[in-house]
Amino acid sequence: SGALGKDDSILENPSIPNPFPELCCSPFASVLSASLLPKATSRKKQVIKVYSEDDTSRALEVPSDITARDVCQLLILKNHYVDDHSWTLFEQLTHTGLGRAIEDHELVVEVQSNWVMEEETKLYFRKNYAKYEFFKNPLSFFPDHMISFPSETSAALSHSGILQMFLSSSTYPEIHGYLHAKEQGKKSWKKLYFLLRRSGLYFSTKGTSKEPRHLQFFCEFSNSDMYMSLTGKKISGAPTNYGFCFKPNKSGGTRDLKQLCADDEQSRTCWMTAIRLLKYGMQLYQNYMQPYQGRSGCSPLNITPMRSISENSLVAMDFSGHRSRIIENPTEALSVAVEEGLAWRRRGCLRLNSHGSPIAMSNMAIHRSQSWFHHKISREEAQRLILQHGLVDGVFLVRDSQSNPKTFVLSLSHGLKIKHFQIVPLEDDGKLFYTLDDGHTRFTDLIQLVEFYQLNKGVLPCKLKHYCARIAL
């Protein structure tokens, strides 16, 4: 019993977090050193090609049992990116405009084996901020009018209660509502009342009746994958822009797709989230809770995740006096940040451009190097990009305006909608400024503007939080 007590006291002491988790017991050690291990030689290798947003690509030789998360970790490591757990592998069907985020646990080679010859399919590496958002805020994903619970449970379920019901094997909340379904082999769409149950997706042949005799089976999920329509109405001739579909594994292409579309984004998000939870269950929760568990078999309990830099973990400091101090007043912190930014730009411009005007250099071209700036992309492309990065509040990008060549547009996700705000150049006293609010707040360049709205909501519906990156692999 003495020995047992001693062990208990050891367990009670808080473990010291490892500051360099990526250097020891790395989840991708097995990927990188696969060729060095004697047991790994029997594992088959395959070459996969992964694309980034700017269509650069990288070929990787990977073992046949590599998961999507392992591929992401490999690319994060090779490119020295910060891992904030939102990097994701996407599968995109170019001709049909369909795409899906490959789940972290899925085997990439297995995903590729379902591709058919006539369809051009690509793997993309990008961030998906909405990947596990429903675990953080499930109530906003399942509106009251679309969800009903088994009669024995109370209607007012808590935050965690909804998730527990979704993840348990015995119960499952019923999702119901109208969807437009494309009739097989026809061009027409029909509006029907659908119900989601454990056994699959059904529609009612008589209005909103849930009687078993009126329910007709539409599709089950174990042998098919769910895709989102990224092109809106264009390709499929759908009645709305909120399409999604099911593609049977190893199917003969587009003729076997079971296509649906919702009336709004909230409805589509609800259906797609519920179907993901139904199909993968606890596996999704494990993916969310254990982002570091790779094939090397490390326990996530021993690994302290690398801190991601967020606005909550940074403080403003003043180093001008003999002793440094934390700046508590937010207005003072903001003005100091803006001043420092301007001073840094002035130094950079003068260093870069000794011949021309420093202001011209900073105003005209400085934003081009920023990851959030997308040169000459259309409104539709911007919407598709934000949709793929996840409709979480604060996902944004800045682009050239197509309607007015001298202005820019800030495209921003808020409340499951994508909104576009024009950034207008103003000339005052021979100097050029940029503004989002008719000149009330002015900025000498786009970087300053973006930095300001990352800290302040201002006229926008929310702060700028996550940018859609233009990365090169």
Side-chain angles (χ1 to χ4, degrees), residues 280-382:
Y280 298 111
M282 278 304 286
Q283 179 68 59
L284 279 192
Y285 190 63
Q286 284 162 7
N287 294 352
Y288 166 61
M289 290 304 287
Q290 304 174 356
Y292 277 96
Q293 190 158 36
R295 273 197 334 279
S296 55
C298 300
S299 162
L301 303 173
N302 308 334
I303 296 174
T304 309
M306 280 181 277
R307 274 191 314 180
S308 70
I309 297 171
S310 74
E311 58 191 59
N312 302 327
S313 62
L314 300 176
V315 290
M317 298 289 290
D318 173 17
F319 296 105
S320 58
H322 292 296
R323 296 178 63 190
S324 57
R325 68 182 180 96
I326 291 175
I327 303 172
E328 301 285 358
N329 182 338
T331 316
E332 186 194 351
L334 179 64
S335 65
V336 167
V338 168
E339 270 308 303
E340 281 187 1
L342 287 172
W344 172 80
R345 277 182 197 78
R346 280 195 288 272
R347 286 198 302 274
C349 296
L350 291 166
R351 189 170 62 244
L352 287 165
N353 194 2
S354 53
H355 306 297
S357 138
I359 290 293
M361 165 61 200
S362 79
N363 279 349
M364 297 308 291
I366 194 166
H367 54 267
R368 293 270 173 106
S369 62
Q370 299 304 301
S371 301
W372 40 256
F373 184 73
H374 294 255
H375 185 48
K376 285 186 177 168
I377 67 166
S378 68
R379 186 187 179 100
E380 287 72 31
E381 284 175 287

Side-chain angles (χ1 to χ4, degrees), residues 184-202:
Q184 207 88 30
K186 295 182 187 173
K187 285 190 174 178
S188 56
W189 291 73
K190 207 170 186 179
K191 194 168 186 176
L192 298 164
Y193 189 74
F194 276 83
L195 292 101
L196 179 65
R197 302 212 166 144
R198 276 215 173 271
S199 51
L201 189 60
Y202 297 83

Side-chain angles (χ1 to χ4, degrees), residues 228-240:
M228 184 187 276
S229 171
L230 303 167
T231 51
K233 305 176 187 180
K234 276 185 195 167
I235 294 178
S236 58
T240 77

Side-chain angles (χ1 to χ4, degrees), residues 26 89 160 299 325 379 439-440:
S26 162
L89 215 53
S160 57
S299 162
R325 68 182 180 96
R379 186 187 179 100
H440 294 295

Side-chain angles (χ1 to χ4, degrees), residues 57 118 191-192 221 243 261 278 296 303 343 346 360 371 422 466:
S57 65
E118 74 247 34
K191 194 168 186 176
L192 298 164
F221 317 113
C261 75
L278 182 69
S296 55
I303 296 174
R346 280 195 288 272
S371 301
Q422 198 159 44
H466 308 292

